[in-house]
C-alpha cells in the first residue's frame, strides 16, 4: 500500500512537472511512461510541442533513402535488410544507379538524400568521400548520411580515428548525419540486439565530435525489441545530456528526435510481439516531455502508417519526417506503408494544421 502511494505520488509530481514545463527527472519520465492516463499524457505532450513550435504547421521533407549497399558485417538481430559478405542477394550500388536516384529525387522536388548502407568490409572513408564528392559535383542536393556505426566502421577500414574520418567526410561534402544505428544506446540491451555494432558510447562519441565541428545531426530510438521502459528512458537521458553539451557550446546540434518501433518480420527476433499503437504514442509523448532541449520530434509513418502518424501529431510530434521516395530497410521487415505529399497535406489539414515542406535543417521552403 505504502509502495502504491509512493508510486502515485511520483506520478503526481511528474504530471505537475510536465504541466509546468519543468525538466523531468528520469524517475518522473518513467512514471509517466508507465502510469500516466493516456489522454492527459497526450494533452501535456501536445502542449509542450506547441510551446516549442507555436506555428500551426506540420513540417515534412522531400527526400529519398539511398542504401548504397546491403552487405554488412554487423548482423544485427533486428535487421531484415542486410546480407553477410559473399551471401546471395548482396549488392553495392554503382555510381550510375546512385546518380539516377538523385536525379529522380530532384525532379520530384527533393532537397536531400539520406545515404546509408551496411558495414561493407571494403568500403572505408576514402571510398565514401569519393562518392560524396562526385554527388556534390554533379547535383545541388544536401547529403544527409552515414550513421555513427558507419562512421566508426569506415574509420576502422581506413585506419583513421573518428576526428580524421569526420574531417574528411565533411570536407568531401557531407552535410549532416542521421541518427540511425542508435537503436537503444543502453549497452545491456544493445549488446543483445546488435552485438556486431559500435557501442552506445561510440555512437555518442561520433555525435559529440560531429556537433563540436558544427555538424547537425538527428537522434533516433528503435524500441520494442529487447528493451523495456527503463531502457527507453535511459536512452533518452543519454541524448538529453549530449544535447545539453551541444547547447553549452552555443547551439543544439540534434535537430530532431525520431523514435520508431521494432518491426520483427524476417528478423532473428521475429518471435517477438510488435508493440501496439498505444505503446508507440505513449513513448513518443514522453519523449517530447523529457527531451526538453530538442526542438522537433518526428512521427514515424514508415513504421506506424498514416493514421497513427496523424495521431502522433497530437502526442508531441510536429514533423512527418519525409516523403521517402524510396525506403528499403523497414520495408525488408514487412512494413510497407507509403505516404505521398498530397496525403501528408491531408493529414495535417484534417487536424487544422498547414503542412509545409522543410529542408534538412528544418528551414521552411
Ligand atoms: S541495421 Fe545496419 S548495421 Fe545492423 S545489420 Fe542492418 S545494415 Fe547492418
Amino acid at each position: 500500500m505504502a509502495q502504491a502511494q509512493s508510486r502515485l505520488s511520483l506520478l503526481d509530481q511528474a504530471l505537475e512537472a510536465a504541466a509546468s514545463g519543468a525538466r523531468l527527472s528520469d524517475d518522473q519520465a518513467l512514471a509517466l511512461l508507465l502510469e500516466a492516463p493516456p489522454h492527459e499524457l497526450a494533452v501535456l505532450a501536445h502542449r509542450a510541442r506547441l510551446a516549442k513550435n507555436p506555428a500551426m504547421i506540420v513540417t515534412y521533407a522531400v527526400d529519398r533513402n539511398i542504401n548504397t549497399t546491403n552487405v554488412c558485417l554487423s548482423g544485427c538481430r533486428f535487421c531484415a535488410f542486410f546480407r553477410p559478405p559473399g551471401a546471395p542477394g548482396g549488392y553495392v550500388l554503382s555510381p550510375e544507379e546512385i546518380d539516377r536516384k538523385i536525379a529522380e529525387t530532384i525532379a520530384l522536388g527533393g532537397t536531400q538524400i539520406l545515404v546509408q548502407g551496411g558495414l561493407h568490409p571494403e568500403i572505408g572513408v576514402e571510398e565514401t568521400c569519393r562518392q560524396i564528392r562526385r554527388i556534390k559535383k554533379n547535383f545541388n542536393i544536401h547529403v544527409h548520411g552515414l550513421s555513427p556505426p558507419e562512421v566508426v566502421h569506415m574509420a576502422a577500414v581506413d585506419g583513421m580515428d573518428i576526428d580524421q574520418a569526420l574531417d574528411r567526410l565533411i570536407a568531401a561534402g557531407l552535410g549532416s548525419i542521421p541518427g540511425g544505428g542508435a537503436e537503444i544506446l543502453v549497452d545491456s540491451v544493445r549488446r543483445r540486439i546488435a552485438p556486431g555494432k559500435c557501442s552506445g558510447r561510440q555512437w555518442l562519441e561520433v555525435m559529440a565530435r560531429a556537433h563540436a565541428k558544427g555538424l547537425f545531426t538527428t537522434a533516433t530510438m528503435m524500441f520494442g525489441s529487447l528493451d523495456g521502459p527503463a531502457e527507453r528512458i535511459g536512452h533518452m537521458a543519454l541524448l538529453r545530456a549530449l544535447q545539453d553539451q551541444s547547447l553549452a557550446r552555443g547551439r543544439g546540434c540534434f535537430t530532431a528526435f525520431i523514435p520508431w518501433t521494432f518491426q520483427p518480420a524476417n528478423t532473428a527476433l521475429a518471435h517477438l510481439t510488435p508493440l501496439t499503437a498505444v505503446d508507440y504514442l505513449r513513448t513518443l509523448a514522453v519523449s517530447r516531455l523529457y527531451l526538453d532541449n530538442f526542438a522537433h520530434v518526428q512521427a514515424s509513418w514508415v513504421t506506424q502508417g498514416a493514421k497513427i502518424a496523424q495521431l502522433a501529431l497530437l502526442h508531441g510530434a510536429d514533423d512527418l519526417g519525409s516523403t521517402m521516395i524510396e525506403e528499403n530497410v523497414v520495408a525488408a521487415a514487412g512494413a510497407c506503408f507509403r505516404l505521398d505529399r498530397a496525403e501528408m497535406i491531408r493529414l495535417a489539414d484534417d487536424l487544422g494544421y498547414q503542412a509545409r515542406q522543410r529542408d534538412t535543417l528544418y528551414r521552411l521552403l
Side-chain angles (χ1 to χ4, degrees), residues 214-238:
L215 211 61
F216 286 98
T217 78
T218 55
T220 66
M221 174 170 76
M222 184 204 72
F223 62 100
S225 62
L226 300 182
D227 53 280
E231 282 98 12
R232 291 177 215 161
I233 301 300
H235 176 99
M236 291 184 222
L238 293 166

Side-chain angles (χ1 to χ4, degrees), residues 70 72-76 78-82 117-119 149 183 194 197 329:
N70 65 349
C72 187
L73 288 165
S74 185
C76 302
F78 59 84
C79 179
F81 169 72
F82 82 98
L119 311 185
E183 330 312 351
K197 211 170 214 170
V329 178

Side-chain angles (χ1 to χ4, degrees), residues 148-169:
E150 288 170 89
V151 174
V152 170
H153 168 75
M154 288 174 182
V157 168
D158 283 354
M160 294 180 190
D161 64 27
I162 299 301
D163 269 322
Q164 287 172 322
L166 286 172
D167 287 342
R168 302 272 176 101
L169 291 163

